[in-house]
């Protein structure tokens, strides 16, 4: 019943910006987070936001990326500025459901940053 859907990915030149969206349905989210996976690499943590508003970021995106929440829409967003080619990858949204703290993942959205 729970569905997590990302959107907003695309192709952008280095130095540009993108805003990713994640909307969860079928359950109320507690924590929401963004991960990414580059070709040939393991999936890595990007940013997370808890229901109390606290946030955390990976060191290599801190100061460039911002995670935000819209609790009424059960949504999370990732504003990405000053994008670099090494930011290229598939970005996944992870939802922790408030009921039972079960984890759900979206299908991912492709972000490609050209040099």
């Amino acid at each position: 019943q729970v569905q997590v859907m990302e959107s907003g990915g695309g192709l952008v030149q280095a130095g540009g910006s993108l805003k990713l969206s994640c909307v969860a349905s079928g359950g109320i989210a507690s924590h929401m987070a963004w991960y990414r996976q580059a070709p040939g690499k393991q999936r890595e943590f990007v940013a997370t936001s808890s229901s109390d508003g606290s946030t955390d970021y990976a060191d290599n995106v801190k100061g460039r990326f911002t995670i935000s929440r819209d609790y009424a829409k059960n949504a999370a967003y990732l504003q990405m500025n000053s994008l670099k080619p090494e930011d290229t990858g598939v970005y996944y949204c992870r939802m922790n459901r408030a009921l039972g703290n079960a984890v759900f993942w979206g299908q991912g959205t492709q972000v490609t940053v050209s040099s």
Side-chain angles (χ1 to χ4, degrees):
Q1 295 296 125
V2 174
Q3 184 177 25
V4 180
M5 184 66 68
E6 306 96 334
S7 62
L11 175 64
V12 65
Q13 291 185 333
S17 298
L18 283 173
K19 186 175 182 179
L20 306 183
S21 298
C22 174
V23 179
S25 61
I28 298 174
S30 54
H31 285 74
M32 298 192 76
W34 289 95
Y35 287 72
R36 68 187 182 188
Q37 187 167 16
K41 295 185 178 180
Q42 293 185 337
R43 184 168 52 197
E44 65 177 0
F45 166 78
V46 176
T48 188
S49 176
S50 65
S51 58
D52 66 0
S54 63
T55 59
D56 192 24
Y57 298 90
D59 287 341
N60 57 0
V61 307
K62 190 174 181 63
R64 300 188 297 120
F65 291 9
T66 302
I67 187 171
S68 60
R69 300 278 293 274
D70 186 331
Y71 297 98
K73 296 180 179 179
N74 210 31
Y77 308 94
L78 186 68
Q79 178 66 51
M80 305 184 294
N81 298 325
S82 301
L83 283 163
K84 305 174 181 179
E86 50 263 43
D87 294 319
T88 293
V90 179
Y91 283 68
Y92 298 93
C93 180
R94 187 197 73 185
M95 166 192 174
N96 287 64
R97 190 176 65 186
L99 180 62
N101 202 36
V103 176
F104 301 90
W105 292 87
Q107 294 295 108
T109 185
Q110 176 70 44
V111 173
T112 303
V113 184
S114 63
S115 60

